Amino acid sequence: MSKHAPMGPPGDADLRLLRIYRKVVECGGFSAAEVELGISRAAISMAMKDLETRLGLRLCQRGRSGFALTDEGAEVYEASLQLLAAVEGFRTRVNGLHAWLKGELNIGITDNLVSMPQMHITHALSGLKERGPDVRINIRMISPSEIEQAVLDGRLHAGVVPALKPLPGLTYLPLYEETSRLYCAAGHPLFSAPEISAEQLADHDAVVPAYAQAPSIKTHHEWLNPTASATDREGIAFLILSQRYIGYLPTHFAERWVLNHQMRALNPEDWHYLTRYSAITRKGGPPNLVLEAYLEELNRLIEKPGIQNIE
């Protein structure tokens, strides 16, 4: 009975030796395998000795009498065919995942970004779906703080949020800037006023965001008389259109009402601010080919020449 220790999991060196052994068997000897393998007969002989030592088995007879497999060598050959086929199958399947994506992308998005002229998010999702028709996309429209927390704890793969205070556990990919202006609706006392002072603003009810804002944006609400709040920008638009409130809205979101003469921007050169948006992912998150493909699509769009900020 052999006292050779049981063989552990095969490594790269073992796979190389088994591939040489397979070719030697298929060619019927060392000499015939030289051309197929592109290595010398001496190198083949050394590889066979290394494999026999690794396995603790005599695999073949070689010498003047010719090449012949031992019984153990025949069984190792059959086993090697199964192992090498499984390795190649694994490689093919993994490589196929890159070309044919499967799985889910769970993404959180701040409200009312769909009307942005630069539709980075929409086009990136379209590109992802083209690369992986079987990918399932799940979108959640929630507040920026909820998006950040969900990305951190893994409930979301990615998010799109305004720039507030960067969190150390997140990676930020800048997307674009959005201009917001102060609006009132047709029928509001300020709708026909040519110029409005800060003192005049304080005389009128205003709706302000109930969600977190960057300090630089908060200063633009200091001149207002906040008698109402809204958890999202659609809520702000509702109250402005009631003709009783003034409030800040993104220009791309308000444009439909401006074009229909239902809203106007008040002192647009004075009362405006920028909001910067970023795509966020978790630092050190588990490998995810779907997420990687989505980020590749976003980067491709951002790097296109001629990209301008939202005005």
Side-chain angles (χ1 to χ4, degrees):
M1 181 180 294
S2 174
K3 296 182 179 180
H4 187 269
M7 182 182 178
D12 289 343
D14 297 319
L15 294 176
R16 174 182 171 274
L17 295 176
L18 286 171
R19 289 190 178 98
I20 294 174
Y21 178 58
R22 178 182 64 182
K23 188 59 65 176
V24 168
V25 174
E26 292 171 352
C27 291
F30 293 8
S31 297
E34 284 185 83
V35 176
E36 292 286 336
L37 292 169
I39 58 177
S40 68
R41 183 173 178 177
I44 295 173
S45 179
M46 183 174 295
M48 289 300 93
K49 288 180 181 178
D50 290 343
L51 181 60
E52 289 179 331
T53 300
R54 177 78 169 98
L55 299 177
L57 297 169
R58 181 73 171 174
L59 300 178
C60 58
Q61 305 291 342
R62 56 263 198 190
R64 293 181 180 179
S65 59
F67 175 85
L69 290 179
T70 63
D71 291 342
E72 292 84 359
E75 289 195 32
V76 168
Y77 172 68
E78 293 298 328
S80 70
L81 292 180
Q82 295 178 22
L83 174 61
L84 294 174
V87 170
E88 292 305 317
F90 175 80
R91 180 183 291 112
T92 300
R93 187 168 181 178
V94 170
N95 288 339
L97 292 176
H98 290 271
W100 194 261
L101 296 169
K102 293 183 180 180
E104 291 188 342
L105 177 69
N106 300 318
I107 180 172
I109 302 177
T110 303
D111 70 297
N112 301 124
L113 295 183
V114 71
S115 53
M116 277 192 164
Q118 291 171 306
M119 300 176 70
H120 290 339
I121 304 166
T122 301
H123 293 327
L125 292 175
S126 176
L128 173 63
K129 192 65 176 174
E130 182 175 355
R131 293 171 62 172
D134 292 334
V135 169
R136 180 183 178 90
I137 298 172
N138 303 306
I139 294 179
R140 294 186 63 193
M141 306 299 292
I142 52 179
S143 70
S145 60
E146 291 177 300
I147 293 173
E148 290 173 331
Q149 185 56 52
V151 172
L152 283 171
D153 63 28
R155 286 179 289 128
L156 291 176
H157 298 120
V160 179
V161 296
L164 296 172
K165 182 180 180 181
L167 300 180
L170 296 175
T171 298
Y172 292 79
L173 173 65
L175 293 179
Y176 33 55
E177 293 180 337
E178 168 193 81
T179 298
S180 292
R181 291 195 170 101
L182 185 62
Y183 291 92
C184 72
H188 189 277
L190 296 178
F191 189 78
S192 300
E195 292 291 329
I196 301 101
S197 66
E199 290 74 18
Q200 285 177 285
L201 293 182
D203 293 333
H204 297 272
D205 291 337
V207 53
V208 296
Y211 44 87
Q213 297 287 311
S216 60
I217 293 177
K218 284 184 178 180
T219 59
H220 290 272
H221 294 94
E222 292 177 353
W223 298 100
L224 304 181
N225 178 24
T227 60
S229 67
T231 58
D232 53 48
R233 297 184 292 192
E234 186 172 1
I236 293 174
F238 265 115
L239 289 175
I240 293 174
L241 290 168
S242 75
Q243 306 177 10
R244 301 294 180 178
Y245 296 89
I246 60 176
Y248 280 95
L249 285 176
T251 55
H252 64 87
F253 183 55
E255 183 179 21
R256 73 194 83 172
W257 296 295
V258 173
L259 292 176
N260 289 328
H261 307 289
Q262 294 176 277
M263 281 189 191
R264 65 159 287 203
L266 304 174
N267 293 20
E269 298 304 317
D270 299 322
W271 307 106
H272 68 271
Y273 60 79
L274 291 177
T275 303
R276 294 174 173 83
Y277 283 87
S278 296
I280 60 171
T281 54
R282 185 175 62 171
K283 289 182 179 177
N288 185 317
L289 294 178
V290 173
L291 176 58
E292 290 173 13
Y294 170 67
L295 293 176
E296 287 172 5
E297 292 297 319
L298 271 182
N299 276 293
R300 181 179 59 81
L301 291 164
I302 294 167
E303 292 169 2
K304 274 187 175 181
I307 296 296
Q308 302 292 328
N309 290 335
I310 301 302
E311 291 294 345

